[in-house]
Amino acid sequence: MEQRVGKKKFYNKMIQQNGFGLSTATRALVIGVAVIIVCVVCSLALYMSKQGKSAINTGTNQYNKMMEDYQELDRAMYDGLEVSGNEVGLLIGRMVSQGAYTEVRVKTKASDFVCYNYYYDEDKNSITNADKAEYLLATTLEKGADHYINPQADFLGKVIKNANGTIICIDFVQQ
């Protein structure tokens, strides 16, 4: 029995020396500090996740904008570009055959703007293919016509977008 009592004293002495025998106030202080540290770590984690989320949203928006620009690249490239009448005729044929939601207007030296594929309403900044609208579905091959597009002539392109940023019209003016 004395051996057991001796071992108990020994263990109690070891616990006190190693700090396990803390008073109640010291334990409460340690627990309080631990809680504060946990709260700080959690708040940092939430802050970082919000920052990451906003960075991801920004990246997604940039990706969507890039894809939108890429999808309309075949039409957007004509903005400020000088092309031949042959290229204008090919573009009109391509837009009509694809049924693209894009109107092509051509102004020659002999005529005012002529609409192809759709009719462009400048006041509303919109296009329509209604029955009453005046637009053509093909270029004329008759060289004497006012709206004849000379394949060797140069035309300056201009892209017109609607309120949503979608290209709805490409203007070509003979130079």
Side-chain angles (χ1 to χ4, degrees), residues 40-97:
V40 168
V41 169
C42 287
S43 64
L44 283 174
L46 287 173
Y47 173 76
M48 290 174 67
S49 70
K50 282 184 182 180
Q51 292 298 322
K53 187 176 182 181
S54 68
I56 288 172
N57 287 340
T58 302
T60 302
N61 291 339
Q62 288 175 347
Y63 174 77
N64 289 340
K65 175 72 174 138
M66 186 176 63
M67 288 306 294
E68 180 181 302
D69 291 344
Y70 177 73
Q71 289 172 349
E72 293 185 336
L73 184 63
D74 63 331
R75 289 168 268 176
M77 71 180 196
Y78 291 105
D79 197 21
L81 185 67
E82 195 168 304
V83 296
S84 68
N86 186 46
E87 177 66 26
V88 172
L90 290 172
L91 175 67
I92 291 169
R94 192 169 63 241
M95 292 292 126
V96 170
S97 67

Side-chain angles (χ1 to χ4, degrees), residues 138-159:
T139 59
T140 183
L141 299 176
E142 187 180 320
K143 292 183 180 182
D146 287 343
H147 57 275
Y148 171 73
I149 300 172
N150 183 352
Q152 279 72 40
D154 290 327
F155 290 84
L156 181 64
K158 177 185 171 192
V159 171

Side-chain angles (χ1 to χ4, degrees), residues 4-126:
R4 284 189 176 174
V5 173
K7 284 185 180 181
K8 233 181 190 180
K9 285 182 183 178
F10 175 74
Y11 286 125
N12 286 339
K13 193 173 184 181
M14 288 295 289
I15 288 173
Q16 287 177 352
Q17 285 178 353
N18 291 330
F20 295 110
L22 301 175
S23 68
T24 306
T26 309
R27 286 184 193 157
L29 185 63
V30 168
I31 290 172
V33 169
V35 168
I36 290 172
I37 291 173
V38 167
C39 289
V40 168
V41 169
C42 287
S43 64
L44 283 174
L46 287 173
Y47 173 76
M48 290 174 67
S49 70
K50 282 184 182 180
Q51 292 298 322
K53 187 176 182 181
S54 68
I56 288 172
N57 287 340
T58 302
T60 302
N61 291 339
Q62 288 175 347
Y63 174 77
N64 289 340
K65 175 72 174 138
M66 186 176 63
M67 288 306 294
E68 180 181 302
D69 291 344
Y70 177 73
Q71 289 172 349
E72 293 185 336
L73 184 63
D74 63 331
R75 289 168 268 176
M77 71 180 196
Y78 291 105
D79 197 21
L81 185 67
E82 195 168 304
V83 296
S84 68
N86 186 46
E87 177 66 26
V88 172
L90 290 172
L91 175 67
I92 291 169
R94 192 169 63 241
M95 292 292 126
V96 170
S97 67
Q98 291 175 355
Y101 185 72
T102 304
E103 185 265 345
V104 180
R105 289 193 319 172
V106 180
K107 181 178 180 180
T108 63
K109 291 186 177 180
S111 72
D112 202 12
F113 280 108
V114 176
C115 298
Y116 294 92
N117 197 33
Y118 281 87
Y119 176 76
Y120 177 65
D121 186 350
E122 289 185 55
D123 297 331
K124 296 179 182 177
N125 192 29
S126 65

